[in-house]
């Protein structure tokens, strides 16, 4: 079974803090993704990565950065958290080969910025 | 641009059949996915269509018409545990391009 884990299920931070969200997958997937999910807006792609040390901007990268130093780990960084970054953050991974190349999601981190 | 439309909410009765529609306009097409997401949990993969027609998997079926840019998810013999959001997603091309997701349809199953 594919397993995608995220470092925290719930997180409370203060405005201006630097926040690290960690994601680890155990299926040797090449591709990893970070989304945020808000009511009425659906899933929005923040950043994704096709390989180690590689990153691509998604639809809403402003205020975020990412790091992929190892294949299994993809980190999302909020350089200076703001209240409008309060959201559910979902990490996903997918293989580069195969019929489906389905994205598998982690359990999510619900972040509250005060 | 990329656009995926699905109804925001639906309600259906336990034991009944419900059809959730999805229409898409994307820059290309290389497969359509349906995911189920229970409240507070992560989306989980339900089905995949890349050719026209119906794919059946137990109580769930998914249909695709590429010429019409249209798909539906059919849920039979509804159970209370089927209350969830259902997300339609399209892969725009054959590479590693991320999926484009619709905003989801929240299905409530009532007794």
């Amino acid at each position: 079974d594919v397993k995608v884990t995220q470092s925290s299920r719930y997180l409370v931070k203060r405005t201006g803090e630097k926040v690290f969200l960690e994601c680890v997958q155990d299926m040797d997937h090449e591709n990893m993704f970070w989304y945020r999910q808000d009511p009425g807006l659906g899933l929005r792609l923040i950043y994704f990565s096709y390989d180690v040390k590689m990153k691509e901007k998604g639809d809403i990268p402003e205020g975020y950065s990412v790091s992929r130093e190892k294949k299994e780990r993809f980190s999302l960084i909020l350089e200076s958290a703001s209240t409008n970054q309060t959201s559910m953050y979902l990490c996903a991974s997918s293989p580069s080969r195969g019929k489906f190349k389905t994205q598998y999601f982690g359990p999510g981190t619900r972040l509250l910025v005060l | 641009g990329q656009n995926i439309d699905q109804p925001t909410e639906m309600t259906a009765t336990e034991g009944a059949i419900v059809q959730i529609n999805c229409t898409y306009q994307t820059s290309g097409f290389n497969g359509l996915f349906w995911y189920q997401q229970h409240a507070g949990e992560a989306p989980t993969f339900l089905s995949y269509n890349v050719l026209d027609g119906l794919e059946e998997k137990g109580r769930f079926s998914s249909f695709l018409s590429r010429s019409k840019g249209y798909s539906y998810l059919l849920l039979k013999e509804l159970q209370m545990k089927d209350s969830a959001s259902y997300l339609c997603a399209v892969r725009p091309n054959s590479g590693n391009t991320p999926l484009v997701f619709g905003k989801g349809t929240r299905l409530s199953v009532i007794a």
Side-chain angles (χ1 to χ4, degrees):
Chain A
D1 265 0
V2 175
K3 194 164 183 184
V4 181
T5 57
Q6 295 183 227
S7 48
S8 306
R9 291 299 302 269
Y10 301 94
L11 210 51
V12 180
K13 296 292 181 181
R14 297 211 173 271
T15 302
E17 279 193 79
K18 191 168 186 176
V19 182
F20 292 87
L21 302 182
E22 302 283 336
C23 175
V24 178
Q25 50 94 5
D26 67 356
M27 281 300 291
D28 203 35
H29 286 169
E30 290 79 12
N31 309 316
M32 296 189 75
F33 311 86
W34 274 106
Y35 295 88
R36 62 177 285 177
Q37 187 174 36
D38 302 286
L41 298 178
L43 281 167
R44 292 183 290 168
L45 182 66
I46 304 172
Y47 268 96
F48 58 101
S49 168
Y50 294 145
D51 202 349
V52 176
K53 296 194 184 295
M54 179 272 175
K55 60 185 177 185
E56 292 281 347
K57 292 181 180 179
D59 300 318
I60 51 163
E62 297 78 18
Y64 303 95
S65 62
V66 289
S67 171
R68 192 159 181 209
E69 296 297 317
K70 293 185 178 182
K71 190 176 185 180
E72 67 271 18
R73 188 180 298 268
F74 192 35
S75 303
L76 180 69
I77 304 151
L78 286 66
E79 296 289 342
S80 177
S82 63
T83 54
N84 63 12
Q85 292 179 309
T86 290
S87 186
M88 168 73 105
Y89 289 87
L90 288 161
C91 174
S93 73
S94 71
S96 288
R97 289 170 289 276
K99 180 181 177 183
F100 298 144
K101 293 190 275 189
T102 305
Q103 288 184 195
Y104 296 89
F105 286 85
T109 296
R110 194 169 291 278
L111 173 67
L112 173 63
V113 182
L114 300 173
Chain B
Q2 321 277 36
N3 192 49
I4 297 180
D5 286 317
Q6 46 182 136
T8 304
E9 291 189 58
M10 298 181 73
T11 301
T13 305
E14 193 175 16
I17 298 173
V18 71
Q19 178 174 312
I20 302 174
N21 296 324
C22 170
T23 58
Y24 62 89
Q25 297 104 35
T26 52
S27 55
F29 181 83
N30 196 251
L32 185 142
F33 297 78
W34 283 96
Y35 285 82
Q36 181 190 59
Q37 185 178 24
H38 285 101
E41 297 182 12
T44 55
F45 169 73
L46 280 179
S47 69
Y48 172 75
N49 295 71
V50 67
L51 300 176
D52 290 352
L54 190 69
E55 293 278 346
E56 296 186 78
K57 194 187 291 186
R59 293 189 299 115
F60 293 8
S61 304
S62 55
F63 172 83
L64 175 67
S65 168
R66 288 172 296 171
S67 62
K68 294 182 179 176
Y70 168 69
S71 173
Y72 66 73
L73 181 70
L74 194 71
L75 290 75
K76 303 176 188 174
E77 302 169 16
L78 278 173
Q79 301 175 11
M80 301 299 282
K81 67 178 182 179
D82 297 329
S83 292
S85 287
Y86 292 86
L87 310 179
C88 175
V90 170
R91 173 173 289 121
N93 62 50
S94 60
N96 290 319
T97 308
L99 301 182
V100 179
F101 282 87
K103 293 181 181 178
T105 298
R106 188 164 59 209
L107 174 66
S108 298
V109 180
I110 58 176

